[in-house]
Amino acid sequence: MIYRTYLVFLTLSIISCALSVSLSQVFLAVSFVLFLFLNPKPKFQSYLVKILFLFYGWQLVSFVYHYVGSGLDSSFVKHAFNEEMKDIFLVTAFFTIQGVKIEDRKYLTRVLIAFAITIGVTGFISLFSSIRLSRLVSDLYKVSSSWKFQHHYGSVLGIDVHLPIGFMNTHLTFGGLLMFVYPFFVFHVYDLWKSKAKILKLTIWIVLLGMISIVFLFNNARSALIGMGFSLLLGFYILAFIDDAISKKFLKRAGISVLIFFAICFIGFKTSEPVQKVINPLFGGEKHTDSGRTFIWHSTYPLIQANPIFGIGSGKYKEEIEISRKRLSVEEKELSFFYEVTQRGHSHNDYLHLMTIFGIPQFILYLSLMSLILFTLLNKEIPNSAKYLTYGLSGFFFSGILQCYFQDDEVLIVFMFLLGYLNIYLEKESAEV
């Protein structure tokens, strides 16, 4: 009875990640508590578990170091857990999903596929919605005084189109979720085509792939697109050179399909203003956040140099970056305006932000986590069905070069669920060894 209830709340937590991070975290908390009462429990023997313990262990070391340094000031704890340290609780998603029994792994796979389809469908609906869909969920537990509108691109064939963000609050967050699920659609369609699935089933999935491709293009989160591109390259590399599953005939057809896609994009670019707004930034067109990143990164470097081991501490970024910006404004007076107006929330780079907050050891552990995930995806013992759903994990680390996705609750919880799903197959291998 406990196991079945746990499975229900775990399912709700995974699927609701596409709708509301608040709801997903509530369901996660319940499923984690139920997980603690499950017997037998996983042994957690894999190297992914070990690196996660080291990764978050160092965050705790840094936290204690700065807490002691603050004179045991309780306000430091409050600020720390209002900012970066609050994300430490999301690692429970990784451990909670490990409780799924071997006979229910196919069910878990279907749940993750349902999540992927929900992301694609809600994104497509939001493409034609002038208001943010997130209010449909948020109104269930809080009062909103007004509707928030979405960015309007223009009209295509007389139909108004907007920046698609699904049920999320920002296009970057939704782009991060698209990055996770998009490789699955591509490789699932490839699998159906290769296995000569029924034409109706193949057609449905091709339509879904086309739909989510349009959503991803109009979402225009370039950092997520870069991550998605790496995930696809990795997947095709594994199929071609490790699994030896791609023929020259398929590569030829794939090349023709890509050319047709670019031809359609070119025609759209020449004939539609909304498409021009989408494609221009992808090829070097001006975007207001581009120059800002250089000022953010430049003002972040001094913080790393001054605090290389333990970082500046969680919850102190806004305070410390303000000091760094004022100092640089004095040194570079002609740039003082830009240092003043550029956002101060985070470093706009996962590697820089983790290094700034927790020190260089955290950066090394983050690179180690990335390397182990890539190593796992290259493992021939992991089934392709699991890899297709988790290729997005590899792209996550490349999208983090231009964005702080590791600081985004909505994206990080999905990352932990997918990493935990991948680890299920790794734990099986570890037990057999």
Side-chain angles (χ1 to χ4, degrees):
M1 180 65 181
I2 291 179
Y3 175 74
R4 286 300 161 191
T5 307
Y6 147 81
L7 206 58
V8 168
F9 278 99
L10 178 64
T11 300
L12 291 172
S13 182
I14 292 172
I15 295 179
S16 62
C17 286
L19 305 175
S20 167
V21 69
S22 299
L23 287 178
S24 64
Q25 287 179 351
V26 170
F27 292 135
L28 172 60
V30 176
S31 59
F32 178 67
V33 171
L34 293 170
F35 165 76
L36 296 176
F37 289 95
L38 295 181
N39 283 305
K41 289 186 177 61
K43 294 182 179 179
F44 298 118
Q45 297 175 328
S46 76
Y47 46 75
L48 285 179
V49 173
K50 293 178 176 67
I51 193 64
L52 276 179
F53 270 115
L54 289 173
F55 183 84
Y56 285 103
W58 183 258
Q59 288 194 10
L60 290 173
V61 169
S62 173
F63 168 77
V64 171
Y65 172 83
H66 287 287
Y67 179 46
V68 173
S70 71
L72 305 182
D73 184 0
S74 60
S75 65
F76 171 77
V77 177
K78 180 180 178 181
H79 286 304
F81 281 92
N82 279 337
E83 296 294 335
E84 291 83 9
M85 288 302 295
K86 71 179 185 299
D87 294 336
I88 199 169
F89 297 110
L90 296 181
V91 77
T92 56
F94 172 89
F95 293 104
T96 302
I97 203 172
Q98 307 299 308
V100 176
K101 295 178 180 178
I102 293 176
E103 59 266 28
D104 287 321
R105 286 182 183 174
K106 287 185 179 179
Y107 168 77
L108 179 59
T109 300
R110 290 197 293 270
V111 170
L112 290 169
I113 292 173
F115 162 76
I117 293 174
T118 304
I119 288 293
V121 171
T122 56
F124 193 71
I125 293 172
S126 69
L127 183 64
F128 305 103
S129 174
S130 61
I131 57 173
R132 295 188 182 185
L133 302 178
S134 58
R135 178 170 174 179
L136 298 176
V137 175
S138 64
D139 270 6
L140 297 174
Y141 54 88
K142 67 179 181 180
V143 177
S144 300
S145 59
S146 63
W147 289 92
K148 290 185 177 180
F149 290 93
Q150 294 196 143
H151 176 74
H152 183 239
Y153 273 131
S155 61
V156 177
L157 301 177
I159 302 173
D160 286 337
V161 291
H162 304 80
L163 178 69
I165 60 174
F167 277 76
M168 300 298 108
N169 291 312
T170 71
H171 86 288
L172 290 172
T173 291
F174 192 66
L177 299 181
L178 289 169
M179 172 189 63
F180 282 135
V181 303
Y182 189 80
F184 163 74
F185 285 93
V186 173
F187 292 111
H188 187 62
V189 167
Y190 163 77
D191 247 7
L192 292 174
W193 171 81
K194 186 178 180 182
S195 62
K196 298 180 180 179
K198 292 182 179 179
I199 190 67
L200 178 61
K201 185 176 183 180
L202 179 60
T203 301
I204 291 172
W205 279 98
I206 288 175
V207 170
L208 286 172
L209 174 59
M211 181 178 69
I212 199 170
S213 297
I214 293 170
V215 171
F216 212 162
L217 183 63
F218 274 89
N219 175 264
N220 207 231
R222 291 175 299 173
S223 50
L225 287 167
I226 291 171
M228 176 272 293
F230 179 83
S231 298
L232 291 182
L233 287 174
L234 177 66
F236 281 116
Y237 170 82
I238 291 172
L239 285 173
F241 299 103
I242 296 181
D243 296 342
D244 197 24
I246 295 182
S247 64
K248 292 182 178 178
K249 185 178 180 181
F250 173 80
L251 290 175
K252 182 179 178 181
R253 290 181 177 179
I256 293 172
S257 299
V258 170
L259 289 175
I260 292 173
F261 173 75
F262 279 116
I264 293 173
C265 288
F266 180 76
I267 293 171
F269 179 78
K270 289 294 185 180
T271 58
S272 172
E273 183 181 353
V275 177
Q276 290 174 10
K277 291 179 180 178
V278 169
I279 293 179
N280 261 330
L282 301 179
F283 294 94
E286 184 179 352
K287 205 170 183 181
H288 72 280
T289 57
D290 290 343
S291 61
R293 283 191 176 91
T294 58
F295 292 101
I296 295 168
W297 295 342
H298 187 247
S299 54
T300 298
Y301 293 141
L303 302 182
I304 299 172
Q305 292 173 335
N307 308 272
I309 305 301
F310 297 102
I312 62 174
S314 180
K316 296 178 67 176
Y317 184 81
K318 293 178 182 177
E319 172 189 339
E320 293 293 331
I321 202 68
E322 191 71 39
I323 297 171
S324 177
R325 297 253 178 109
K326 286 180 179 178
R327 185 181 299 116
L328 289 169
S329 295
V330 172
E331 296 173 0
E332 306 284 349
K333 291 183 179 180
E334 68 277 10
L335 300 176
S336 59
F337 170 78
F338 301 101
Y339 283 118
E340 178 63 30
V341 299
T342 304
Q343 72 92 20
R344 290 160 167 74
H346 54 75
S347 302
H348 258 287
N349 180 299
D350 275 329
Y351 302 90
L352 280 179
H353 197 77
L354 288 170
M355 214 179 332
T356 303
I357 302 301
F358 301 111
I360 293 175
Q362 183 82 155
F363 168 73
I364 295 171
L365 289 168
Y366 194 60
L367 287 179
S368 301
L369 178 61
M370 177 186 71
S371 302
L372 290 177
I373 290 173
L374 291 175
F375 178 78
T376 304
L377 291 172
L378 292 171
N379 188 340
K380 295 183 71 173
E381 299 300 319
I382 306 295
N384 280 337
S385 59
K387 289 182 181 180
Y388 293 164
L389 281 164
T390 53
Y391 276 137
L393 292 172
S394 61
F396 176 84
F397 292 91
F398 284 82
S399 64
I401 296 172
L402 297 173
Q403 187 56 246
C404 275
Y405 275 125
F406 202 81
Q407 318 306 317
D408 192 328
D409 291 3
E410 291 94 332
V411 177
L412 185 58
I413 190 173
V414 177
F415 173 85
M416 288 300 174
F417 272 130
L418 293 177
L419 186 60
Y421 175 71
L422 182 63
N423 188 68
I424 287 175
Y425 295 92
L426 202 57
E427 290 288 351
K428 176 185 175 183
E429 184 186 68
S430 300
E432 291 174 351
V433 173

